[in-house]
Amino acid sequence: MTLEDQELKKAGLKVTLPRVKILQILENCSDRHMTAEDIYQALRDSDGDVGIATVYRVLTQFEAAGLVERHNFDNGPAIYEIDRGEHHDHMVCTETGKVIEFHDAEIEALQERIAAAQGYQLVGHSLVLYVKPKTS
Amino acid sequence: MTLEDQELKKAGLKVTLPRVKILQILENCSDRHMTAEDIYQALRDSDGDVGIATVYRVLTQFEAAGLVERHNFDNGPAIYEIDRGEHHDHMVCTETGKVIEFHDAEIEALQERIAAAQGYQLVGHSLVLYVKPKTS
DNA sequence: CCCACAAATGCGAATAGTTCTGATTTGCTT
DNA sequence: AAGCAAATCAGAACTATTCGCATTTGTGGG
C-alpha cells in the first residue's frame, strides 16, 4: 500500500493501475503543469497501455476529489497540477511559455469585495497574467 | 456611408455585407456578450447567408483591428463584445450565467507589480470571477 | 460608369481537445 | 477463488474553430 494508494482510497476512488500511474506522474513531473496529452505521452513512454479517454476521465475524477486542479490558459489544452492546498494564480510568459505561480492576498480580498458589492458571493476565480521578459 | 462602414474603413477592412451585419449585431445586442454561434443564429434569423466560418474569420479580424474583444470563460465557446476602449473584467454567475462587467484600478496596479517583481512586463491578463447570488 | 483583380465568402472538410458508448477487464468483498 | 460493480479500452462522437479552394464581391483606375 503506497502513499498514492492511500490518497486514492481517501478520495473514495478504487485503486487501479491507471489512476496510480497518473498520480505518480503528476507528483514527479518537474514543472508541475501538465496537459492531458503530456500525461498520456509519459504513460506511453514508460510502459502503459492507458487510453487518452482514461487519462481525461481520471483527471476529471481527481479534480472532483480535490487531488488536482485544472486550469485553462486562454485557448489551447487545459493544464493539470497536483493540488497542495495552497491556492495560487498563474503568470504565463508569452515568449517562452514558462508558467510561474504567485499568490497575492490583496487581490484575493479585492475580488471578494467586488463580488459582494454586486450582491454576489465569490465561489471561484481564474486569474492569468500574460507577461514577457522586461528587457525585450 | 453608415457609421459601421466608416468604422470598417478606418480599420482598413473592405466594407462587405457580412462584416457590416456582424458589426451591427454586436452593436445592437442587449447583453453585449455573444458567442460566434449566437451571431451566426442572429444572422440566420434575420436574412443572411453568412457561413459560420465567415463569422469566425470576421470576428478574428475585428479583434485584430481592435473593434471587438474576445474572452474565454473557463471552457466552452469564446464570447465577443464591442471594444469601447474601457478595459474591464468579468464576473459570471454560476447559477444564471449572467455576465457582469467590472473594473478595479487597484487590482490592475497589483498585477503590474506582481509581474515586475518576477522580472516581467505585463502584456495582458484574464480575470474572471465565478460567483453566485449571496442569498443561496 | 465599368472592369479587372485582389480580397472576401461559402461550403465542406479538417483539426484540436475532450467526452461518450458499449463491450471487456479489473479489483474489492466474502 | 467467485461474483459483481466499477473501471478501462478503442473508437466513434462532439464541440469549437480553422483551412482549402472554387466562386463571388468591392474598389480604384481608366
Side-chain angles (χ1 to χ4, degrees):
Chain A
M1 175 77 75
T2 69
L3 277 172
E4 281 86 16
D5 292 7
Q6 291 173 3
E7 283 190 78
L8 290 171
K9 277 260 168 67
K10 200 164 49 184
L13 295 168
K14 208 148 100 174
V15 177
T16 65
L17 223 52
R19 302 219 256 236
V20 173
K21 284 192 204 163
I22 291 172
L23 196 50
Q24 286 174 343
I25 286 168
L26 280 164
E27 280 170 346
N28 299 334
C29 74
S30 51
D31 74 352
R32 300 196 42 267
H33 299 94
M34 301 187 85
T35 66
E37 188 65 27
D38 289 340
I39 293 167
Y40 180 59
Q41 288 307 326
L43 285 164
R44 171 135 306 194
D45 289 352
S46 62
D47 55 335
D49 275 315
V50 179
I52 187 76
T54 299
V55 174
Y56 277 106
R57 238 178 306 118
V58 167
L59 287 171
T60 302
Q61 293 158 343
F62 282 6
E63 192 192 6
L67 290 175
V68 309
E69 281 187 357
R70 169 186 170 148
H71 302 286
N72 283 92
F73 294 159
D74 223 14
N75 33 27
I79 67 106
Y80 298 84
E81 63 178 308
I82 291 280
D83 184 352
R84 292 159 307 166
E86 302 160 9
H87 167 70
H88 57 263
D89 294 308
H90 295 92
M91 196 179 308
V92 183
C93 179
T94 52
E95 286 177 16
T96 65
K98 188 176 178 191
V99 176
I100 297 171
E101 301 176 354
F102 71 88
H103 175 81
D104 188 283
E106 231 177 304
I107 286 185
E108 305 284 325
L110 284 166
Q111 289 175 4
E112 300 273 1
R113 286 227 320 260
I114 290 162
Q118 304 286 332
Y120 288 96
Q121 190 180 343
L122 191 64
V123 300
H125 72 258
S126 155
L127 172 58
V128 183
L129 305 186
Y130 298 98
V131 299
K132 68 176 183 187
K134 229 180 220 164
T135 54
S136 89
Chain B
M1 174 76 75
T2 68
L3 277 173
E4 281 86 17
D5 291 10
Q6 291 173 3
E7 284 190 77
L8 289 171
K9 277 259 168 64
K10 200 165 51 183
L13 295 168
K14 207 149 102 173
V15 178
T16 64
L17 224 53
R19 301 222 257 235
V20 173
K21 284 193 205 161
I22 290 172
L23 196 49
Q24 286 174 342
I25 287 168
L26 280 165
E27 279 169 348
N28 299 333
C29 74
S30 52
D31 75 350
R32 300 195 41 267
H33 298 94
M34 301 186 85
T35 65
E37 187 65 27
D38 289 339
I39 293 166
Y40 179 60
Q41 288 307 327
L43 284 164
R44 171 136 306 194
D45 289 352
S46 63
D47 57 333
D49 275 315
V50 179
I52 187 76
T54 299
V55 174
Y56 276 106
R57 250 183 320 222
V58 167
L59 287 171
T60 302
Q61 294 158 344
F62 282 5
E63 191 193 5
L67 291 176
V68 309
E69 281 187 355
R70 169 188 170 147
H71 302 285
N72 283 93
F73 294 161
D74 222 16
N75 33 27
I79 67 107
Y80 298 84
E81 63 179 309
I82 293 279
D83 185 351
R84 292 158 306 166
E86 303 160 7
H87 167 69
H88 58 262
D89 294 306
H90 295 92
M91 196 179 312
V92 183
C93 179
T94 52
E95 287 178 15
T96 66
K98 188 175 180 195
V99 176
I100 298 171
E101 301 177 354
F102 71 89
H103 175 81
D104 188 282
E106 230 178 303
I107 286 185
E108 305 284 326
L110 284 166
Q111 289 175 4
E112 300 272 2
R113 286 228 319 261
I114 290 163
Q118 304 286 331
Y120 287 95
Q121 191 180 343
L122 192 63
V123 299
H125 73 258
S126 156
L127 171 58
V128 183
L129 305 187
Y130 297 98
V131 299
K132 66 176 183 186
K134 230 180 217 162
T135 53
S136 87

